[in-house]
Amino acid sequence: MSLEKEMSLNDYINIIKRRFPYVISSFFLVFLAVAAYAIKLPPVYLSTGTILIESQQVQSDLAKEKYATDRFAALKQVVLSKDNLYEIAKKYKLYGLDKKSNLSPEGLVTALRSNVKVDLLQADAEEWGAKPTFAFNVAFKYYNADDTYNVSNDIVKLFLDENDRASKERVTETAEFFAKEAGKQKITLEKIEKQLTEYKRLHANSLPENKGMKVVSLERLENDLRATQREYSATQAELRSLDVSMESAKAGIGISALQESGSGATELEKLKAELVKLNGLYSENHPSVRTLQRRIDALEKNPASASTATKPVTAQSVMIAKVQAQIDTANARLKALDNEEASIRAKINQTEGLVMQSAQTEGTLGALLRDYDNAKAAYAEIKAKLDNSKIAKNIEMENKGERFVLIEAPLLPDRPIKPNRILIIFAGFFGAIASAVGLAVMMEALDRRVRGVDALASIMKLQPMATIPYITNLAEIKRKKYLVSYTISCILAVLVFVLLIVHFFIMPLDILTTKILERF
């Protein structure tokens, strides 16, 4: 038949009528094939559990370093590791492990991991002024409902157990680490303390903190030196005056006055009178005064010697003795001042050396003090972190820290999530119709016979003057009915034959019907 002319709806209906056996056969074959495929597809079940990442009940400084997302990512890698997934697959004999599976262990783990889905959920709580809440879903897909439920439960339990173990292990290791570091830093600090103490002991006189005191001491020593030098000069002047007095006494100058004033007086009285004169000239600590006082004390303690000494003496001898005593005292004082000046100069030299040494000691001592301060600060910092780690450890051990809480346990799935067999069968139904119509149109296109007035007119390019309708006789009607009956009978016979084969050789029809209904 030529298809150059435009096809109308009646043409398609006539084609379907003429090719009805092929159309119905094609429709049933395609529809049954799609239905069988939809029924044969294994069901896929899904079981999901939800775990809440609960914020810790007691806050610690160390806990501020925890981030839920980082912990979740690390925990996910551990739980979905190759060893854990392979153990689960072996436990429930997944992917044909109860039979001879063609999958390698790596392929088995990859297939199992591809069916596990773990999604982190975050709920913002800005309007409440709180931290965002984190949770995550653990889902597993498989072809068996019981295995799906069991595997999902095992994975959820792995997350809970691994988080508890990892949290306690982490805080324990952190506490142990800071304890070791604190011990090392303490040893370092004690070592620097010993070095600092030993250095201060060896340089006790030249420490920088004593520099100011040494400078003040140096100034005082210089003042003492100047005072000693002044006193030394004064004593020398006094000694020269005494030498003149000695020469005068030996020459007898001024003796008559001394005789008139001192006639009939005892030596003790004379000494007391002389003491009164000297007290008017000098202080009580003056060497001449102190010497004369000692002589008076000795005569008062020894009256006998005083009485024997009452014998009269000459004025010249008394004057000479007195001047000689003063000269001896001045010489002794000069010698003492020489010794004192030498001692002061030695102290000044020593103090100046210590002041100069302080500048050299200051650099080394400053470096030791800086090392000590740094070590002390580092030890205090590590000690604070150690205390925080101990608090965090106690928090985790008492389950007061950040933990995982199962808020929705996995459930045994009662129906598969896919495939959607009804949708597949509907698609197969329309596909069977399309394939049947397409087969009829293709067969009509391949048929070169001319059917109908329109087809003849399109070929001849002439419009017929009259049309003689086709007259169907009784034999043709019977033949068509026979063909329809025969076709239907063949289809039914094939269906019955297939059902019998399935019932006796594959599975009883009642069980098959039950299983098919379960899949829907």
Side-chain angles (χ1 to χ4, degrees):
M1 175 182 173
S2 175
L3 297 178
E4 295 178 359
K5 72 182 187 66
E6 185 178 354
M7 300 288 291
S8 63
L9 181 59
N10 290 329
D11 293 329
Y12 285 109
I13 294 174
N14 292 330
I15 291 173
I16 292 173
K17 287 180 178 179
R18 285 194 298 269
R19 309 295 179 179
F20 183 75
Y22 300 102
V23 170
I24 196 66
S25 301
S26 173
F27 171 79
F28 275 107
L29 285 176
V30 173
F31 180 72
L32 290 176
V34 173
Y37 173 76
I39 295 172
K40 184 64 177 176
L41 280 176
V44 177
Y45 296 92
L46 177 68
S47 182
T48 304
T50 303
I51 298 175
L52 174 67
I53 304 177
E54 189 179 64
S55 299
Q56 57 186 17
Q57 301 176 16
V58 180
Q59 296 290 335
S60 70
D61 292 338
L62 189 67
K64 295 178 181 178
E65 302 176 4
K66 297 180 179 179
Y67 297 96
T69 54
D70 295 340
R71 289 186 58 199
F72 166 74
L75 200 61
K76 181 180 176 182
Q77 294 296 325
V78 174
V79 172
L80 300 184
S81 63
K82 176 181 176 181
D83 294 337
N84 287 338
L85 294 182
Y86 190 70
E87 288 299 323
I88 292 175
K90 283 202 308 182
K91 179 179 179 181
Y92 298 107
K93 296 180 174 55
L94 305 178
Y95 302 102
L97 279 182
D98 53 341
K99 304 173 185 177
K100 291 184 178 180
S101 177
N102 295 326
L103 289 175
S104 62
E106 290 78 8
L108 187 65
V109 170
T110 302
L112 180 56
R113 187 180 287 123
S114 64
N115 288 327
V116 177
K117 188 176 182 182
V118 183
D119 294 324
L120 183 65
L121 309 175
Q122 178 178 350
D124 294 329
E126 296 179 357
E127 63 275 11
W128 298 99
K131 296 181 179 179
T133 301
F134 291 95
F136 59 93
N137 287 333
V138 179
F140 176 65
K141 297 184 296 183
Y142 194 60
Y143 309 116
N144 183 279
D146 293 334
D147 290 339
T148 303
Y149 168 73
N150 292 330
V151 172
S152 182
N153 258 331
D154 284 3
I155 295 176
V156 167
K157 189 173 183 298
L158 274 176
F159 268 103
L160 297 176
D161 294 344
E162 184 62 27
N163 175 69
D164 185 63
R165 185 199 64 78
S167 299
K168 293 180 179 179
E169 183 178 348
R170 182 176 59 255
V171 294
T172 301
E173 290 177 354
T174 303
E176 292 175 354
F177 170 77
F178 282 123
K180 290 180 181 178
E181 290 299 317
K184 292 179 183 178
Q185 195 61 37
K186 184 178 180 181
I187 293 174
T188 303
L189 182 62
E190 290 176 349
K191 182 179 178 181
I192 297 177
E193 282 180 346
K194 289 180 180 178
Q195 292 176 352
L196 187 60
T197 304
E198 182 66 17
Y199 189 82
K200 285 186 175 181
R201 186 185 67 79
L202 295 175
H203 302 82
N205 293 325
S206 59
L207 294 176
E209 55 264 28
N210 298 332
K211 184 177 179 180
M213 184 177 63
K214 296 295 181 185
V215 171
V216 173
S217 177
L218 183 61
E219 293 176 353
R220 187 170 62 250
L221 288 173
E222 290 176 349
N223 292 332
D224 292 344
L225 178 62
R226 285 192 290 271
T228 302
Q229 289 175 343
R230 284 195 300 270
E231 187 175 356
Y232 188 84
S233 299
T235 304
Q236 284 181 331
E238 182 185 356
L239 187 60
R240 284 192 296 270
S241 176
L242 290 173
D243 288 339
V244 173
S245 299
M246 176 62 76
E247 294 298 329
S248 299
K250 288 180 179 180
I253 299 173
I255 300 298
S256 58
L258 183 62
Q259 288 177 348
E260 292 176 358
S261 62
S263 58
T266 64
E267 182 178 1
L268 180 59
E269 292 174 349
K270 292 178 180 179
L271 292 177
K272 287 183 178 180
E274 185 67 21
L275 179 62
V276 172
K277 293 179 180 180
L278 292 178
N279 285 331
L281 298 175
Y282 306 108
S283 65
E284 293 181 358
N285 294 325
H286 194 275
S288 299
V289 176
R290 293 173 65 183
T291 302
L292 192 58
Q293 183 65 46
R294 283 196 297 270
R295 290 178 62 187
I296 293 172
D297 293 340
L299 290 175
E300 288 178 347
K301 290 180 181 179
N302 221 341
S305 62
S307 62
T308 58
T310 57
K311 61 181 180 178
V313 292
T314 63
Q316 185 178 10
S317 62
V318 171
M319 179 64 70
I320 292 172
K322 184 178 76 170
V323 173
Q324 185 62 44
Q326 292 176 352
I327 291 173
D328 293 340
T329 302
N331 287 327
R333 189 162 65 250
L334 285 176
K335 186 176 181 180
L337 290 173
D338 282 335
N339 294 334
E340 185 177 356
E341 182 178 356
S343 175
I344 291 174
R345 289 187 179 278
K347 290 180 180 179
I348 288 175
N349 293 332
Q350 182 182 6
T351 305
E352 287 178 345
L354 291 176
V355 171
M356 294 179 63
Q357 207 173 27
S358 296
Q360 300 174 356
T361 306
E362 187 174 3
T364 306
L365 184 62
L368 285 174
L369 287 174
R370 283 192 299 272
D371 293 342
Y372 176 77
D373 292 339
N374 293 335
K376 187 176 181 181
Y379 178 71
E381 182 180 359
I382 294 177
K383 193 70 170 58
K385 290 184 178 180
L386 175 60
D387 294 339
N388 286 333
S389 65
K390 289 180 178 179
I391 293 173
K393 181 180 178 181
N394 293 334
I395 290 173
E396 291 293 344
M397 293 302 177
E398 295 178 7
N399 293 324
K400 300 293 183 181
E402 190 173 73
R403 57 179 181 170
F404 287 1
V405 179
L406 183 63
I407 56 176
E408 289 185 11
L411 300 176
L412 180 66
D414 54 355
R415 60 179 59 212
I417 60 169
K418 63 179 185 179
N420 191 340
R421 291 185 173 84
I422 297 177
L423 181 61
I424 294 174
I425 290 175
F426 268 109
F429 176 78
F430 291 108
I433 293 175
S435 63
V437 173
L439 178 63
V441 172
M442 184 183 66
M443 291 180 66
E444 192 70 20
L446 295 177
D447 190 357
R448 308 308 299 176
R449 289 178 291 183
V450 179
R451 300 179 184 275
V453 177
D454 294 335
L456 180 62
S458 63
I459 294 174
M460 300 300 295
K461 306 299 182 182
L462 294 172
Q463 189 67 28
M465 295 178 63
T467 303
I468 300 174
Y470 183 80
I471 300 173
T472 305
N473 55 26
L474 185 59
E476 289 178 344
I477 294 173
K478 290 181 178 182
R479 186 170 64 84
K480 287 182 180 181
K481 289 181 179 181
Y482 172 76
L483 287 175
V484 173
S485 302
Y486 178 76
T487 302
I488 295 174
S489 300
C490 289
I491 292 172
L492 293 175
V494 170
L495 288 175
V496 172
F497 179 72
V498 170
L499 292 175
L500 290 174
I501 291 175
V502 170
H503 181 76
F504 289 105
F505 295 99
I506 299 177
M507 186 183 296
L509 292 179
D510 55 345
I511 298 176
L512 179 62
T513 303
T514 303
K515 288 194 172 185
I516 290 175
L517 293 177
E518 287 178 354
R519 289 177 179 258
F520 287 92

